[in-house]
């Protein structure tokens, strides 16, 4: 009986400095996204109609902040400065928030649910292309910790009480989607590293155009599902 | 040899409905204090001069929120509605914050350090008069999780760079102390239960006027120490 050859150890993708840079960018954009989600949710909590709602929204904010720490630790391990890694994405993410400041409590709820859901789906798609350690870290940092059932319940009840609200919130969610896409394009145009992550490399399979198209249909489908759960037309 | 009598089981202080009410009030005021500290710190984080500072301030905010949950759970155990328990204190605590909105990042830092420190010292003094379970819960909910070293470092460095800032911040801290006392008086006047907690009851030793005087000197002493650590004249 001949011994079968030992399986080749998987090549360390971080030996490729382009890959390392792209992962630093990706963790940086996710980290700043969570930091600013924390800030905006905490701000939106001020519009809560009841103390109970204020606590629930503040809990969502705090959960976002809790996700930040492991990303920062990993950035440090990779030899990057967490603040420096976040900086390139401040303008785009702040731009998104400035253009989508909720006018009232319900717009804030929909933004929290639809916006964070979309971002999380997108980052999960990107993470699927990466080494297992990075992938697991990103997926954990996007975990919905069960707070969003609260949003669904509140939005549905409000629409039941005032059906016109449903029309307004559906328009609002479309605007959120448009702004998110326009800021994402801006980031992709400015940071080649992130576009390259999706496209793959010499040693790493990536997505061709057809696969990227499929990814976008999956994102759209899940967005439509979320809208349906809120009782809104996508 | 005669057996010594079994020690009397300590009377359950919660059988006294006045005591239970007072504890519900106390947990309610601490809980709303932490919820609003969360909100204000998150708001102040927007003024941070660097991303690193923004993360540090957001971490302090998040830590405040983390303290809220055990207080809410205990309120529920005591048969109280957490939101209802917080409500009576919203006006006084919001009043304090409205009158002490920081004009800049450094005023925010000093408020976080001096204001939270003073409140924590006060609640610890009250907790010392209570049953062990309530006392331990309150003390845990006030634990400084080591974030405030960051404040000391930032404030001292800023004063070293601009000594006039020291004078302005010392005045600011005096205003914080004045506002805190005036809102605390308002609460004490409106909620007999809390005043009674300190004064004790038939079965429970309380503080006489001399002891209350001593408590206030301890609070003032610790406030002066905190000011000294920041490099400010009390």
């Amino acid at each position: 009986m001949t011994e079968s050859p030992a399986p080749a150890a998987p090549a360390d993708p971080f030996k490729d400095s382009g890959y390392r840079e792209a992962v630093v960018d990706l963790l940086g954009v996710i980290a700043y996204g969570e930091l600013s989600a924390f800030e905006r949710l905490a701000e939106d909590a001020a519009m809560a109609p009841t103390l109970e709602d204020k606590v629930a929204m503040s809990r969502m904010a705090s959960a976002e902040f809790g996700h930040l720490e492991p990303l920062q630790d990993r950035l440090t391990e990779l030899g990057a400065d967490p603040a420096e890694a976040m900086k390139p994405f401040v303008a785009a993410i702040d731009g998104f928030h400035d253009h989508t400041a909720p006018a009232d409590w319900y717009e804030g709820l929909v933004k929290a649910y639809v916006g964070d859901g979309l971002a999380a789906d997108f980052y999960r798609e990107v993470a699927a292309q990466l080494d297992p350690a990075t992938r697991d870290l990103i997926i954990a940092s996007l975990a919905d910790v069960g707070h969003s059932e609260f949003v669904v319940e509140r939005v549905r009840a409000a629409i039941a009480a005032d059906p016109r609200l449903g029309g307004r919130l559906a328009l609002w969610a479309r605007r959120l989607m448009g702004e998110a896409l326009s800021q994402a394009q801006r980031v992709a145009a400015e940071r080649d590293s992130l576009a390259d992550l999706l496209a793959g490399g010499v040693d790493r399979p990536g997505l061709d155009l057809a696969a990227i198209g499929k990814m976008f249909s999956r994102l759209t489908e899940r967005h439509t599902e979320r809208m349906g759960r809120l009782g809104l037309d996508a």
Side-chain angles (χ1 to χ4, degrees), chain A:
Chain A
M1 213 170 102
T2 56
E3 264 179 48
S4 54
D12 176 3
F14 287 97
K15 283 191 176 146
D16 171 358
S17 73
Y19 183 80
R20 182 193 154 280
E21 238 173 78
V23 168
V24 166
D25 270 357
L26 183 62
L27 299 182
V29 69
I30 297 176
Y32 189 70
E34 291 186 337
L35 179 59
S36 64
F38 160 81
E39 263 192 287
R40 308 301 164 142
L41 292 172
E43 221 174 279
D44 294 349
M47 295 188 289
T50 68
L51 268 179
E52 234 185 316
D53 286 341
K54 191 194 280 269
V55 170
M57 188 65 119
S58 304
R59 186 179 294 122
M60 289 172 68
S62 227
E64 294 279 358
F65 187 82
H67 289 151
L68 189 61
E69 218 93 312
L71 296 174
Q72 290 198 306
D73 291 347
R74 179 63 176 152
L75 282 165
T76 306
E77 264 174 40
L78 290 172
D81 176 78
E84 288 301 317
M86 289 192 257
K87 249 183 221 163
F89 308 104
V90 169
I93 291 177
D94 285 0
F96 171 74
H97 287 298
D98 291 345
H99 289 131
T100 58
D104 65 14
W105 170 246
Y106 292 103
E107 289 192 3
L109 286 181
V110 169
K111 181 175 169 183
Y113 188 74
V114 166
D116 290 4
L118 187 63
D121 280 347
F122 175 69
Y123 292 132
R124 263 185 226 112
E125 289 279 354
V126 179
Q129 308 299 314
L130 305 179
D131 65 285
T134 305
R135 189 182 60 217
D136 294 348
L137 172 68
I138 290 175
I139 287 172
S141 89
L142 299 170
D144 180 303
V145 263
H147 303 319
S148 55
E149 272 321 297
F150 146 78
V151 175
V152 171
E153 194 203 290
R154 286 301 193 273
V155 171
R156 293 193 82 104
I159 294 175
D162 172 12
R164 281 171 316 167
L165 182 65
R168 175 156 73 83
L169 292 179
L171 278 176
W172 167 245
R174 258 168 266 165
R175 210 175 109 206
L176 290 173
M177 179 63 139
E179 281 292 337
L181 285 178
S182 103
Q183 297 296 341
Q185 267 169 344
R186 180 173 165 188
V187 168
E190 281 171 13
R191 307 297 289 186
D192 288 344
S193 68
L194 289 177
D196 291 351
L197 255 195
L198 280 179
V202 182
D203 305 323
R204 219 167 39 79
L207 300 176
D208 58 16
L209 265 185
I212 288 182
K214 273 184 207 151
M215 181 183 97
F216 274 100
S217 352
R218 282 192 301 273
L219 291 177
T220 312
E221 236 167 75
R222 284 189 217 123
H223 171 73
T224 307
E225 282 164 20
R226 263 189 298 272
M227 294 288 280
R229 277 196 293 276
L230 291 174
L232 300 176
D233 293 328

